[in-house]
């Protein structure tokens, strides 16, 4: 469910045929067409990424969260053995997993629609979220490896202070560069991190040195080889969410999260 949204003549014809119809229904069709087209392009990108990832078999430094809040009911963070950035409070009943690429337009759409619902659920202790930030769209950033550098920055920030990670992620998607462009430079990634509260020079050094790059490549390969076919791929309590209305409509995930927490 990724890469740029293409113009589909059949999509245009179907929409034109509905002129004068219900506006809400038209919006839902537009979202559905966009999601299908993005998924088709994503399958190609992921296939390329799987082939290229065999060159990156060295894990490098393994990220870990060392500092944790003293309060027992505070938001905590960890890096799972699958490379997921897990954020949440102890005892959260709903578990969300999101597989995403920071260069992915559909992932931006998902986060724009549902990032607030996820953050609210995490802060309320209703849900925890596991982000697999992978990098298979490096070929879409003009040779600057933006997907990989963005994923590295995700580990740099999450390990430094997981409580600031979700707002950081929101800003990263808000400032997502267009596919085919040059990607955001490292100094811009540092600025975004600093604006989110990551002022420790060690975070900037982690970003500019690509500290976790080898780990990003290995994790990406492992995730893609596990059968993931598109991004975003989203699960709630290990059940994949496939409805485009839930994934792409504003607050579409909120009801699913609340139901999973009961």
């Amino acid at each position: 469910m990724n890469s740029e949204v293409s113009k589909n003549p059949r999509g245009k014809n179907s929409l034109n045929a509905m002129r004068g119809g219900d506006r809400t229904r038209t919006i839902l069709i537009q979202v559905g067409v966009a999601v299908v087209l993005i998924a088709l392009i994503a399958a190609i990108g992921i296939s390329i990424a799987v082939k290229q990832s065999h060159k990156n078999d060295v894990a490098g430094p393994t990220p870990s969260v060392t500092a944790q809040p003293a309060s027992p009911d505070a938001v905590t963070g960890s890096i799972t053995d699958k490379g997921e950035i897990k954020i949440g409070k102890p005892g959260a009943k709903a578990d969300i997993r999101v597989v995403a690429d920071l260069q992915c337009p559909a992932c931006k759409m998902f986060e724009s629609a549902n990032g607030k619902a996820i953050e609210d659920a995490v802060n309320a202790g209703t849900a925890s979220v596991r982000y697999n930030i992978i990098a298979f769209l490096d070929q879409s950033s003009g040779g600057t490896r933006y997907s990989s550098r963005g994923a590295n920055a995700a580990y740099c920030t999450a390990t430094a202070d997981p409580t600031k990670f979700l707002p950081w992620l929101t800003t990263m998607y808000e400032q997502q560069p267009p596919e085919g462009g040059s990607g955001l430079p490292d100094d811009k990634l540092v600025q975004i991190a600093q604006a989110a509260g990551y002022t420790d020079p060690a975070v900037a050094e982690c970003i500019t040195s690509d500290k976790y790059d080898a780990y990003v490549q290995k994790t990406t390969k492992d995730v893609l080889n596990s059968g993931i076919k598109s991004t975003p791929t989203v699960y709630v309590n290990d059940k994949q969410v496939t409805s485009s209305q839930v994934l792409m409509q504003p607050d579409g995930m909120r009801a699913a999260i609340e139901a999973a927490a009961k």
Side-chain angles (χ1 to χ4, degrees), residues 62-118:
T62 300
S64 63
V65 180
T66 55
Q68 295 288 1
S71 174
D73 62 346
V75 172
T76 63
S78 62
I79 309 299
T80 73
D81 57 2
K82 295 181 180 179
E84 301 155 336
I85 297 169
K86 182 176 180 178
I87 310 292
K89 292 183 178 182
K93 293 183 178 180
D95 171 69
I96 307 163
R97 182 190 176 206
V98 181
V99 183
D101 187 310
L102 286 168
Q103 180 68 82
C104 157
C107 299
K108 177 179 180 177
M109 292 169 62
F110 170 77
E111 287 295 332
S112 176
N114 290 294
K116 183 65 165 56
I118 292 173

